[in-house]
Amino acid sequence: MRVLYFAWLRQKVGIAEEEVAPPAEVRDVAGLIRWLAARSSGHAAAFADPRQVRAAVNQDFATPDQPVAANDEVAFFPPVTGG
C-alpha cells in the first residue's frame, strides 16, 4: 500500500510518502489511521485528532469506513476550503 502525506501531516510524519504492509485486520481508513499512528511519534502526532484528517483512496475522497486493500494508494491531508 502506498501512503501519501500532504501539508502539515507530511511535516509531522517527516516523509511525503511510504510503502506499508498493514496487517490483515486493517480493513478501512479508520483502521489504517490507528495502525499508522502506532508506527512512530511523528505518525502519532499527525493522527492525534483524526477528525482533522481527510483521506482519499485511489484519488477518490474517502470516509473513515472506506475499505482499503494492499494495492491501494491512500492519501492523507488536512481539510481544505475553497475560495
Side-chain angles (χ1 to χ4, degrees), residues 9-43:
L9 288 125
R10 177 179 4 195
Q11 292 174 334
K12 290 182 186 241
V13 174
I15 54 174
E17 65 181 78
E18 63 182 324
E19 293 287 332
V20 298
E25 59 267 15
V26 173
R27 296 185 177 105
D28 57 22
V29 170
L32 180 60
I33 287 173
R34 286 190 299 275
W35 181 76
L36 288 168
R39 289 176 52 89
S40 74
S41 59
H43 288 84

Side-chain angles (χ1 to χ4, degrees), residues 18-80:
E18 63 182 324
E19 293 287 332
V20 298
E25 59 267 15
V26 173
R27 296 185 177 105
D28 57 22
V29 170
L32 180 60
I33 287 173
R34 286 190 299 275
W35 181 76
L36 288 168
R39 289 176 52 89
S40 74
S41 59
H43 288 84
F47 295 111
D49 185 357
R51 296 170 300 168
Q52 296 299 315
V53 177
R54 300 294 177 261
V57 176
N58 299 321
Q59 301 182 2
D60 289 324
F61 285 108
T63 59
D65 61 348
Q66 171 77 35
V68 295
N71 293 323
D72 286 342
E73 175 187 88
V74 182
F76 292 107
F77 49 92
V80 295

